[in-house]
Amino acid sequence: MFKGSIVALITPMNEKGNICKKSLKNLITYHINNKTSAIVSVGTTGESSTLNQKEHIDLVMRVVDIAEKKIPIIAGTGSNATTESINLTQKFEDSGVAACLSVTPYYNRPNQEGLYRHFQSIAENTNLPQILYNVPMRTGCDLLPETIAKLSQHPNIIGIKEATGDLSRVNKIKSLVKKYFLLISGDDATALDFIKLGGHGVISVTANIAAKKMSQMCSLALKNDFNNAESINQLLMPFHKHLFIDSNPIPVKWVAKKLGLILNATLRLPMTSLSQTNKKILMKITNEFLKNTK
């Protein structure tokens, strides 16, 4: 269920900054039609940090309703307060959500014991499968392989999104966890190599605007057809790199609008619009991609 190309879905907004229902439906249909494996709703790329809890819950539930069980939905439920993460996770029990993605607590920088107890507490207070999310660049703390191994013993903790970009982590984690523990990349640029080393897929930003090619690339890689997967990955590499030319999701929302996937590229403060210089760079990359995928 959670292998291959999983999209870290952007949250489309209208000009007033409210959820654009029409664009949201269009995005979900786009991912179903292009064989995306699953959708992460309201993760980092979905601007979870600028949505209040009611909006967060309502948005996830709207995604579940639109998807109509045609694609699994993973709810972002991370927080830097353990009680808040538990509360948010419990809101999605018996909702149709397939699993939750929970980021390491940000800003307060807990040590490994704090991280272990945080995730263990969440898992003990829900029946929903939990996917850990490690992204030290954003959170200021690093969930180490040894701590992941301890957490993997809990039956509700089924995998990790590893977004360090450090490929040496794959074998290290694999050697410590149970056989069926999911290893999912959180870094598009190294995702193919991550799968080559035994990973199961990627939670992708690029998939927002190149869903079909990301799905094909991951599917080929999981079948060990690395030559053909590499050809597609090279086509996608400019997006892998330049969708982070500014803070995520500023660039990807702009490209999604240019491709007609959403009606507006609206963001909430403190996120701001893409600069003219970066628009030119992304427009050139987008045009080249379209030219090469006709």
Side-chain angles (χ1 to χ4, degrees), residues 132-284:
L132 312 172
Y133 178 15
N134 189 37
V135 57
M137 182 179 71
R138 279 187 176 267
T139 64
C141 62
D142 187 2
L143 187 64
L144 297 179
E146 292 77 12
T147 308
I148 296 167
K150 286 173 64 180
L151 289 166
S152 74
Q153 299 306 309
H154 195 288
N156 281 355
I157 298 176
I158 64 168
I160 184 165
K161 175 185 177 183
E162 237 299 321
T164 61
D166 179 1
L167 292 171
S168 69
R169 287 282 178 101
V170 184
N171 286 329
K172 179 66 173 176
I173 296 170
K174 276 187 68 178
S175 70
L176 295 172
V177 298
K178 54 193 177 185
K179 183 178 179 181
Y180 297 107
F181 192 76
L182 292 169
L183 299 178
I184 305 169
S185 172
D187 179 57
D188 280 308
T190 59
L192 177 55
D193 289 330
F194 189 100
I195 295 171
K196 286 180 181 179
L197 291 169
H200 301 102
V202 58
I203 295 177
S204 170
V205 175
T206 300
N208 279 285
I209 45 100
K212 184 176 182 178
K213 289 299 179 184
M214 279 300 298
S215 176
Q216 289 174 341
M217 187 272 284
C218 289
S219 179
L220 288 165
L222 289 169
K223 294 174 184 175
N224 296 324
D225 187 353
F226 297 125
N227 288 335
N228 285 317
E230 184 61 46
S231 296
I232 296 173
N233 197 48
Q234 287 306 307
L235 182 65
L236 294 167
M237 191 58 71
F239 279 143
H240 294 340
K241 293 180 178 179
H242 289 90
L243 288 178
F244 296 90
I245 200 169
D246 202 335
S247 298
N248 182 41
I250 295 172
V252 70
K253 288 187 90 169
W254 187 85
V255 176
K257 181 181 183 298
K258 285 296 174 183
L259 292 174
L261 293 169
I262 57 176
L263 295 173
N264 296 284
T266 308
L267 302 120
R268 289 183 179 180
L269 287 172
M271 307 302 276
T272 57
S273 300
L274 198 65
S275 70
Q276 289 301 316
T277 299
N278 287 340
K279 285 179 182 177
K280 290 178 182 177
I281 293 169
L282 283 172
M283 194 73 255
K284 182 179 179 182

Side-chain angles (χ1 to χ4, degrees), residues 79-88 90 118 122:
S79 171
N80 60 347
T82 306
T83 53
E84 185 174 339
S85 288
I86 292 170
N87 179 261
L88 188 55
Q90 289 176 339
H118 170 80
I122 297 169

Side-chain angles (χ1 to χ4, degrees), residues 1-2 27 34 37-38 45-46 62 64 78 94-95 112-113 147 149 165 173 175-176 188 191 207 212 230-231 283:
M1 185 183 291
F2 303 128
L27 283 174
N34 287 285
S37 297
T45 305
R62 187 172 294 277
V64 170
D94 303 315
S95 68
Q112 295 303 302
E113 179 63 17
T147 308
I173 296 170
S175 70
L176 295 172
D188 280 308
K212 184 176 182 178
E230 184 61 46
S231 296
M283 194 73 255

